[in-house]
Amino acid sequence: VQLVESGGGSVQTGGSLKLSCAVSGFSFSRGCYGWFRQAPGKGRELVATMGSITATTYAASVKGRFFISRDNTKNTLFLQMNRLQPDDTALYYCVADLNTCRSFTYWGQGTRVTVSS
């Protein structure tokens, strides 16, 4: 199983980025997916999840600004991030699990997002 994130970068406050996660070696249409982030000097935070029936959850800190989606035809997970703030600066990880959205077996290497004021 391989998860490869892309789309990170540097933006100014108020800007947008769209992260992508290409998934291989996994029954993509059946799994639960999510995005975690880890800011410098802080622990990992669950940002958003999407189950196999497209049920989504979001951290309170990103609700209304971030949107998780998936394209089952391309085995790709997305995270659209709008109205970015400096507190959103972090390494963002794509995660997946075949059976549950409560814990995730597979992790990508991460893509860095930097938001400057």
Side-chain angles (χ1 to χ4, degrees), residues 74-114:
K74 296 181 179 179
N75 286 10
T76 303
L77 180 73
F78 303 99
L79 184 68
Q80 176 68 47
M81 305 185 296
N82 301 324
R83 305 201 317 268
L84 284 161
Q85 301 296 319
D87 284 349
D88 297 317
T89 294
L91 190 60
Y92 283 74
Y93 297 92
C94 171
V95 296
D97 196 277
L98 187 58
N99 299 308
T100 180
C101 289
R102 297 183 179 181
S103 63
F104 295 91
T105 302
Y106 304 105
W107 290 67
Q109 293 300 305
T111 185
R112 189 166 300 281
V113 173
T114 302

Side-chain angles (χ1 to χ4, degrees), residues 13-18 61-62 64-67 79-85 88:
T13 298
S16 298
L17 283 174
K18 186 173 185 177
S61 58
V62 307
R65 299 189 298 123
F66 289 14
F67 300 94
L79 184 68
Q80 176 68 47
M81 305 185 296
N82 301 324
R83 305 201 317 268
L84 284 161
Q85 301 296 319
D88 297 317

